[in-house]
Amino acid sequence: NFMLTQPHSVSESPGKTVTISCTRSSGSIANNYVQWYQQRPGSSPTTVIFEDNQRPSGVPDRFSGSVDSSSNSASLTISGLKTEDEADYFCQSYDATTVVFGGGTKLTVL
Amino acid sequence: EAQLVESGGGLVQPGGSLRLSCTASGFTFSNYAMNWVRQAPGKGLEWVSVISVDGGNTHHADSVKGRFTISRDNSKSMLYLQMNSLRAEDTAIYYCTKAIHGAYPRSRVIDYWGQGTLVTVSS
């Protein structure tokens, strides 16, 4: 099985842009779609990016996703940060028999 | 919009059993794969199980293989997780989740999450 590694925490100021990385330990990041989930304190997760760079309806276009084969990693970028974006973010991918989540990144907007 | 409501959580002794249920609405349940995902207190997300649209194909995480069984009843729009031989490390909130499609690989892509049900394994 492979692992997905995320930074434990990131912080940035309101209005700025932040990028959260997700690095796959083995196998190509490009071979299987990557998803991103947001979890605010005390709430269930919600999907903010699916299939590498697709946004569900209702998710603002301030959220974007990308994949970089050269670093075997995926990224979630949030622009125009708002205090409401403060949350834990988890990346996720899969293979034929398993699903793997990253350890999560705590985003602080201060 | 899809709605998922879990039930069946609670306190159980080590070695005991519990069956979680998930009531689905707002979408054609039989057209989509479903997954269970859990989250231990203060920890990250851990995938548990996936089931195909007709229930004929399932996969479980190594940590629960042989102890947990995922199943579904399309006539009732219900998803289940039978949990046997429970251990303290199974203590977690269990989320019922809907995939964006019925077939692999999109059966592993989640678009909706329930509110979760807490399972506590303790003596």
Side-chain angles (χ1 to χ4, degrees), chain B:
Chain B
E1 182 170 297
Q3 289 200 331
L4 304 167
V5 179
E6 302 91 338
S7 59
L11 175 64
V12 60
Q13 292 189 337
S17 298
L18 212 55
R19 188 174 89 149
L20 305 184
S21 300
C22 171
T23 303
S25 62
F27 65 102
T28 305
F29 182 73
S30 58
N31 286 352
Y32 296 92
M34 301 291 290
N35 291 261
W36 285 99
V37 176
R38 69 184 181 182
Q39 186 171 35
K43 301 298 184 181
L45 301 173
E46 180 188 14
W47 173 76
V48 176
S49 305
V50 62
I51 188 166
S52 60
V53 293
D54 63 357
N57 194 13
T58 63
H59 295 283
H60 297 82
D62 287 344
S63 58
V64 307
K65 203 169 291 183
R67 300 187 299 122
F68 290 12
T69 303
I70 188 172
S71 62
R72 65 191 294 162
D73 185 338
N74 287 343
S75 68
K76 297 179 180 178
S77 296
M78 295 289 294
L79 178 72
Y80 304 101
L81 185 67
Q82 178 65 45
M83 304 185 295
N84 299 330
S85 303
L86 282 161
R87 306 166 180 167
E89 54 265 37
D90 296 319
T91 294
I93 296 173
Y94 284 74
Y95 295 104
C96 168
T97 72
K98 171 188 168 294
I100 66 170
H101 201 268
Y104 180 82
R106 302 179 85 195
S107 59
R108 311 298 198 262
V109 178
I110 296 167
D111 59 355
Y112 286 97
W113 300 67
Q115 87 288 349
T117 187
L118 177 62
V119 172
T120 303
V121 184
S122 175
S123 55

